[in-house]
Amino acid sequence: MESPSIGSLYQDLILEHYRRPRNQGELPDRTADVHVANPVCGDEIRLQLKIAGGIIEQARFVGSGCSISQASASMMTSLLEGRSLTDAEALAKRFGDMMRGDADAARDRRLGDLRALQGVSKFPVRIKCAMLGFDALRKPLEHNSAISGGP
Amino acid sequence: MSPSTVTVTGSGIDPVAIRRDFPILEQQINGHALAYLDNAATSQKPTAVLAVLDQYYRRDNANVHRGIHELSRRATSAFEDARSRVGRFVGANDPGEVIFTRGTTEAINLMAHGWGLEFLNEGDEILLTTMEHHSNVVPWQLVARRTGAVLKWLELDDEGRLRLEALDRTVNSRTRLVSLTHVSNALGTVNPVADIVRAVRYRSEAVVLIDGAQAVPHLPVDVAALDCDAYAFSGHKMCGPTGIGVLWARRSLLDAMPPFQGGGEMIRIVRRESSTWADLPHKFEAGTPDIAGAIGLGTAVQYLEGIGMSRIARHEREVLHYALDRMSTVRDLRIFGPSDPCERSGVISFTLSDAHPHDIATILDAEGIAIRAGHHCAQLVMRHFGVAATARASFYFYNTTEDVDRLVEGLETVRTVFA
Ligand SMILES: Cc1ncc(COP(=O)(O)O)c(C=O)c1O
């Protein structure tokens, strides 16, 4: 018998992104390239962005790992394209709020498919998995705010 | 699951009675009875061990080898009795050869510092296997970097067994150290240590160190019969507390080695420029040891002896056979390690279709089943099989065939979620 909490964690949308990740691959004309790994479980994500004029024009990733980490990266990259770095930063913050159990964040339409990951907040040991893609995003964001003198 | 459905196995172990000694097993996890199948990571502790720790701190606590007073006498005698008992448990009858450490990791590091850095030279060869836990890999990499010694590797076959036929080529007169695990924590493979030692002795004068972290808890071990030179194990995987373990090594080896750490307890006379060392084993036990931990380990050993290591091994073998049979019915399940159950201990590493091991562990945890997922500190094994991680169920004598049934049901749930 499937316990309800597991059902709330493994939403169909998550499994769908896990099986058919969006934006997978490399960007030959990337301007940012970040590799992150979780040494505990071996999950890996390499995030590549093409940023021009403060806008993320393209986002791609390659990775391996659990359904949560890979689905999260797939959903995240789908939302990043065409967004300003400032927007991306707000998105990352909102996602972090949702992972901390913030119910408002979990209803925030701006999070798109990422909202399917709200169940992860009830599985503390898996939050790191969901955050892995955003960990990769942090570096280009910090780089940007360092250049522009703050968000 | 009602306890009355638990079957007594042919080993004569009555799991219902045994499980009463482990109150931690009685709890509910996420609304389900706990099925603890992560024993290769650490075992649970029987009430006898919990009681002796409590009693030591309530009644006998004092520093050892220092005071003249009654409590110090009691603490010292309990500590040294534990040493003798733990030594005898693995066939080591000279307590001077039994060094208390924090665990297997510290025991191997003690050998790496005390023996490796002291006696290895450029071009000397250290033979390891790709089955090793990181704690039997990294210390030797550090030693090799500092001494110029060279690491050589014994490889695995498709079933995760050592390619022993390669010993002919890999062991030679330059081989100074052979360090390998008795039982693999990632695959469950039981290595024929006595045969390997014999083969090494025939071809070299190498020192042989065995990592017994996964063997001593589960099998009768006799270091004299194995004929190795040093043997390391951890208390916490064999019903003892965390923070205590053992390095057993031949007196001749320990006598030749300089101390590992300096401090109190390990000296005889301290002068301004230099000091002389205490006798074995104290030469290698600088500072106040984990007295309670050692006493707890002594009691754990007594507890295991009460059940009998042969019975424990037999019971685990039955649970393992049952588990291998049942798990072979789960579609898309891939089990790593030897196909012949006689070549393995109660550790089953597996993957299930495209479900990541972490997802498997989360789904099982929601049903109260505790397993481990990851690389199990054996990335060389993972690489050998071309996987990043596996899920691992590992048994102890308090596990039952019902625990296995729960695991198999849980795996069917994983299959439905990831179908
Ligand atoms: C085969 C093996 N060697 C070494 C170790 C390290 O033991 P400890 O962490 O107790 O020092 C372990 C346990 O994790 C192990 O399974």
Side-chain angles (χ1 to χ4, degrees):
Chain A
M1 196 194 69
E2 190 181 320
S3 67
S5 50
I6 279 300
S8 73
L9 177 63
Y10 292 104
Q11 304 272 335
D12 288 347
L13 195 55
I14 296 176
L15 297 173
E16 209 261 315
H17 274 271
Y18 175 51
R19 295 217 179 82
R20 275 175 296 279
R22 325 286 195 264
N23 307 307
Q24 216 174 16
E26 307 217 14
L27 276 180
D29 51 352
R30 61 189 170 249
T31 59
D33 187 351
V34 185
H35 179 258
V36 288
N38 180 348
V40 181
C41 54
D43 287 356
E44 283 185 65
I45 283 169
R46 184 170 170 191
L47 176 69
Q48 301 188 342
L49 303 176
K50 185 183 171 201
I51 304 171
I55 304 290
I56 299 172
E57 293 186 342
Q58 277 184 303
R60 292 280 182 283
F61 83 102
V62 282
S64 65
C66 67
S67 61
I68 306 293
S69 68
Q70 302 304 305
S72 174
S74 166
M75 294 167 174
M76 177 190 81
T77 49
S78 308
L79 285 178
L80 287 180
E81 291 199 353
R83 233 171 244 275
S84 71
L85 289 167
T86 319
D87 261 13
E89 181 133 20
L91 192 71
K93 188 179 166 307
R94 209 67 185 130
F95 185 74
D97 292 343
M98 186 175 86
M99 284 299 109
R100 279 184 291 276
D102 181 331
D104 280 346
R107 280 190 298 270
D108 193 333
R109 291 173 158 274
R110 284 177 301 169
L111 285 177
D113 284 0
L114 285 168
R115 282 172 299 175
L117 288 161
Q118 60 182 279
V120 178
S121 68
K122 301 204 184 59
F123 292 79
V125 295
R126 303 304 300 277
I127 292 175
K128 258 209 228 113
C129 307
M131 295 295 296
L132 194 62
F134 284 95
D135 289 343
L137 182 60
R138 195 175 308 141
K139 226 193 214 134
L141 291 181
E142 280 166 4
H143 182 67
N144 170 62
S145 55
I147 293 173
S148 62
Chain B
M1 182 190 75
S2 84
S4 60
T5 65
V6 175
T7 41
V8 177
T9 60
S11 65
I13 280 194
D14 174 3
V16 179
I18 293 271
R19 289 170 75 90
R20 278 200 286 271
D21 295 336
F22 294 85
I24 198 171
L25 298 176
E26 282 161 22
Q27 67 190 297
Q28 302 269 309
I29 300 284
N30 297 318
H32 301 268
L34 168 64
Y36 184 76
L37 300 175
D38 193 17
N39 293 287
T42 199
S43 74
Q44 299 304 347
K45 323 301 175 199
T47 44
V49 170
L50 305 181
V52 83
L53 294 175
D54 185 69
Q55 172 189 302
Y56 167 73
Y57 280 123
R58 277 178 199 277
R59 214 188 58 190
D60 305 327
N61 175 55
N63 213 325
V64 289
H65 303 300
R66 292 185 189 175
I68 304 293
H69 56 80
E70 170 63 15
L71 292 190
S72 174
R73 191 199 58 73
R74 277 192 221 155
T76 304
S77 100
F79 180 69
E80 292 303 329
D81 286 353
R83 187 195 305 280
S84 303
R85 182 179 282 278
V86 174
R88 282 196 308 274
F89 184 64
V90 295
N93 294 318
D94 175 357
E97 296 181 335
V98 179
I99 303 185
F100 280 126
T101 64
R102 278 198 300 126
T104 306
T105 304
E106 191 176 69
I108 295 172
N109 276 278
L110 194 163
M111 282 297 292
H113 281 252
W115 189 86
L117 291 181
E118 185 74 9
F119 295 110
L120 288 174
N121 297 304
E122 192 158 349
D124 287 347
E125 294 181 3
I126 299 170
L127 179 64
L128 306 174
T129 85
T130 53
M131 191 190 283
E132 300 311 308
H133 188 279
H134 296 161
S135 63
N136 197 24
V137 173
V138 183
W140 303 114
Q141 291 173 336
L142 297 172
V143 163
R145 195 181 304 160
R146 287 185 43 193
T147 59
V150 182
L151 299 183
K152 298 278 172 177
W153 300 93
L154 208 53
E155 306 284 344
L156 305 186
D157 67 14
D158 294 345
E159 291 194 11
R161 295 169 303 194
L162 294 176
R163 289 190 180 278
L164 294 178
E165 68 281 5
L167 277 174
D168 266 345
R169 277 177 285 113
T170 42
V171 180
N172 58 61
S173 58
R174 288 185 305 277
T175 312
R176 299 287 313 283
L177 175 82
V178 177
S179 189
L180 78 146
T181 196
H182 194 159
V183 175
S184 160
N185 67 308
L187 298 165
T189 314
V190 180
N191 291 318
V193 170
D195 295 344
I196 294 171
V197 174
R198 211 170 307 122
V200 170
R201 299 263 185 260
Y202 185 71
R203 293 173 181 83
S204 75
E205 312 218 311
V207 164
V208 183
L209 165 62
I210 304 298
D211 171 352
Q214 297 293 344
V216 178
H218 304 284
L219 320 163
V221 169
D222 180 346
V223 293
L226 294 175
D227 192 35
C228 55
D229 299 296
Y231 197 100
F233 57 101
S234 298
H236 68 93
K237 295 182 198 283
M238 51 190 283
C239 295
T242 52
I244 190 78
V246 169
L247 173 70
W248 168 84
R250 289 183 198 280
R251 190 170 269 277
S252 54
L253 200 62
L254 293 172
D255 275 335
M257 285 159 55
F260 175 37
Q261 294 174 331
E265 212 90 61
M266 50 74 68
I267 42 78
R268 187 187 302 280
I269 296 165
V270 175
R271 297 209 167 77
R272 289 194 185 196
E273 297 75 24
S274 65
S275 306
T276 53
W277 316 136
D279 288 338
L280 291 175
H282 308 294
K283 172 179 157 187
F284 292 102
E285 292 180 358
T288 301
D290 184 351
I291 305 165
I295 294 170
L297 178 55
T299 302
V301 159
Q302 202 170 357
Y303 178 82
L304 294 174
E305 285 169 340
I307 301 171
M309 289 311 293
S310 306
R311 281 171 76 205
I312 286 175
R314 219 175 318 134
H315 174 79
E316 287 178 28
R317 180 159 304 283
E318 285 169 20
V319 174
L320 173 74
H321 273 256
Y322 183 76
L324 289 171
D325 279 354
R326 287 290 322 267
M327 288 171 77
S328 69
T329 65
V330 180
R331 265 181 53 210
D332 305 323
L333 188 91
R334 176 182 178 201
I335 292 178
F336 298 84
S339 56
D340 180 353
C342 296
E343 293 179 278
R344 61 195 297 161
S345 73
V347 172
I348 302 181
S349 241
F350 61 93
T351 54
L352 181 52
S353 67
D354 64 351
H356 189 277
H358 262 209
D359 293 319
I360 298 174
T362 294
I363 293 171
L364 294 178
D365 181 52
E367 306 203 344
I369 304 158
I371 63 150
R372 171 96 180 255
H375 53 57
H376 317 296
C377 298
Q379 289 184 9
L380 302 182
V381 173
M382 299 297 116
R383 206 157 300 138
H384 174 75
F385 287 105
V387 293
T390 67
R392 180 186 74 185
S394 52
F395 308 112
Y396 211 6
F397 55 87
Y398 42 66
N399 288 123
T400 62
T401 52
E402 282 71 17
D403 289 333
V404 174
D405 292 339
R406 298 264 314 280
L407 171 66
V408 171
E409 277 166 37
L411 293 174
E412 292 297 349
T413 305
V414 175
R415 272 181 44 79
T416 26
V417 172
F418 279 82

